Amino acid sequence: MNVRSGKRILPVVAIFAAAFVAIGCGAGDDQEAASCGNEEIAALSPSGEGFNTFTMILRLNQTVDLEEFARPGLRSLIRDRDVFVINTTYSGMDSSEARSLLSQVTREFPCNRVVSLNSLGQDSDKPGYEYALVGEPGLDAVMVDWEPDTVALLGKNAWHETVSANVAEARGQLESIVSRLPDDSTTRVGLVTQYEQGWDYSTLARELERVNRTISRDFLGYQVVQTQYSCGAGNSKGMADVVADLRESYRNALSAEKALSREDFLDRLGFEVSFSTTPEAGASEVVEEDSPTDAAQCTQDILTAGGSAVLYWATPSAIKAMLNTPVGKSLRNAAS
């Protein structure tokens, strides 16, 4: 089941979050780009505590989405630390379209990082190509959508109910992507992982660390857990509790000899929120059920539980509506 479009079924909780709040420096010359404020961000979100670490990951399905983000009313709400994610799984997207969109977003928002969300397809002329944008200059990370529907594209029963078996399967796919990166690549690899209640996501975090250190000793990789089913009313376990559990799992991922702070490692963990400007109670798809008000409250819950990076599976207009709710305004004002 595709957790972004499937029915709200628990205990499977879809998590995918990554939020960045920042005023983008916008298109400009080399001198302007050189003044960007995100050079020290090695994780999904900057180090530290509080609202100034809140980072939005903003989905791009097509050029019109980028055009909406670039309009004055929304552009002023985007910060340099925010991340744009090119959804290469979107219908009609192929490798050529993905490269074109990457070029456009890096020109329009030169201060912001760009990642790709890839499936596991093997046809470069179709959406969801596993190696879309791999090796392209300026790409911060290749994120692999890891859930039953995408894993089924491997052509075998690759999805497993246990996290340990999924780690073994994901390892080969991540290593295959790394093998296609140039030797001097600054691109990381990561996972956008389905949420399964009871899974220990630190095992995936450790595997991401191992694979990314083959690119650079300073890389750990990113993981966004698909938590969107924890948002809204009527859930057996709320967003704050899910985020707290995942962060506790990550805290236990580091062995004593690692010379890396636990908080630095936690900054590589993100969460997902899905919503619409036209929510419908009881809708079969979570993205159609939760409202901008729900999304703002869930963002607050994520931050309260210690999270900072949130991927918004929503249109630019829905994100703008969320940031204009009372809670959304308070988050943004606090971050500025």
Side-chain angles (χ1 to χ4, degrees):
M1 180 185 74
N2 187 322
V3 296
R4 293 193 186 82
S5 61
K7 295 180 180 179
R8 189 184 292 270
I9 298 175
L10 294 174
V12 175
V13 178
I15 295 180
F16 187 54
F20 290 48
V21 190
I23 296 176
C25 59
D29 56 23
D30 291 342
Q31 183 176 0
E32 181 181 31
S35 66
C36 297
N38 60 1
E39 291 89 347
E40 300 303 320
I41 301 177
L44 276 172
S45 55
S47 59
E49 298 180 353
F51 294 108
N52 287 324
T53 67
F54 171 51
T55 302
M56 294 190 297
I57 299 178
L58 305 170
R59 186 192 67 185
L60 295 173
N61 284 342
Q62 50 191 334
T63 299
V64 67
D65 296 327
L66 178 61
E67 292 172 348
E68 286 193 58
F69 281 121
R71 290 173 183 163
L74 190 49
R75 189 187 197 107
S76 64
L77 299 175
I78 298 174
R79 307 290 193 268
D80 289 358
R81 66 177 176 271
D82 289 341
V83 177
F84 287 98
V85 55
I86 296 176
N87 178 22
T88 72
T89 72
Y90 182 71
S91 177
M93 180 81 71
D94 59 22
S95 294
S96 177
E97 289 292 329
R99 285 193 296 271
S100 176
L101 190 51
L102 174 62
S103 177
Q104 293 173 58
V105 71
T106 53
R107 285 198 307 269
E108 191 68 39
F109 290 92
C111 291
N112 296 85
R113 294 166 292 164
V114 185
V115 305
S116 67
L117 174 62
N118 296 359
S119 183
L120 294 168
Q122 299 303 301
D123 190 337
S124 62
D125 294 326
K126 292 183 178 179
Y129 180 47
E130 179 176 5
Y131 304 111
L133 298 179
V134 173
E136 290 293 324
L139 191 71
D140 187 66
V142 175
M143 304 288 290
V144 179
D145 191 25
W146 197 263
E147 55 184 90
D149 278 8
T150 54
V151 173
L153 295 174
L154 296 176
K156 53 184 177 179
N157 296 323
W159 181 262
H160 304 278
E161 296 303 318
T162 64
V163 67
S164 58
N166 272 279
V167 167
E169 196 64 52
R171 177 182 301 127
Q173 303 308 312
L174 294 170
E175 289 177 342
S176 179
I177 291 171
V178 170
S179 71
R180 294 182 175 227
L181 294 172
D183 291 340
D184 60 349
S185 177
T186 58
T187 299
R188 300 157 174 79
V189 294
L191 292 171
V192 176
T193 320
Q194 175 161 309
Y195 177 74
E196 297 278 2
Q197 194 167 0
W199 272 21
D200 178 4
Y201 285 84
S202 70
T203 60
L204 288 162
R206 286 192 293 270
E207 185 59 31
L208 283 168
E209 176 189 3
R210 189 195 67 77
V211 174
N212 275 279
R213 286 199 188 280
T214 66
I215 306 172
S216 168
R217 64 183 300 275
D218 297 323
F219 289 177
L220 290 179
Y222 308 148
Q223 180 169 207
V224 175
V225 184
Q226 299 171 9
T227 52
Q228 65 265 38
Y229 284 112
S230 298
C231 191
N235 298 297
S236 61
K237 194 168 189 177
M239 182 70 80
D241 289 338
V242 168
V243 171
D245 287 350
L246 288 167
R247 283 175 56 82
E248 183 62 28
S249 172
Y250 251 59
R251 284 191 186 92
N252 297 328
L254 291 175
S255 55
E257 66 271 13
K258 292 289 192 305
L260 180 75
S261 75
R262 293 182 186 275
E263 289 305 317
D264 192 38
F265 199 74
L266 283 163
D267 290 339
R268 287 156 174 80
L269 174 63
F271 311 92
E272 183 178 357
V273 173
S274 301
F275 60 103
S276 167
T277 55
T278 56
E280 180 182 349
S284 61
E285 299 183 7
V286 65
V287 71
E288 297 175 352
E289 185 170 13
D290 290 339
S291 69
T293 298
D294 293 328
Q297 184 56 57
C298 285
T299 300
Q300 175 69 81
D301 292 343
I302 290 168
L303 298 177
T304 299
S308 53
V310 183
L311 175 105
Y312 291 109
W313 199 257
T315 63
S317 59
I319 292 170
K320 183 178 180 180
M322 179 201 71
L323 295 174
N324 279 319
T325 64
V327 173
K329 288 180 178 179
S330 70
L331 294 173
R332 196 45 47 95
N333 290 339
S336 63

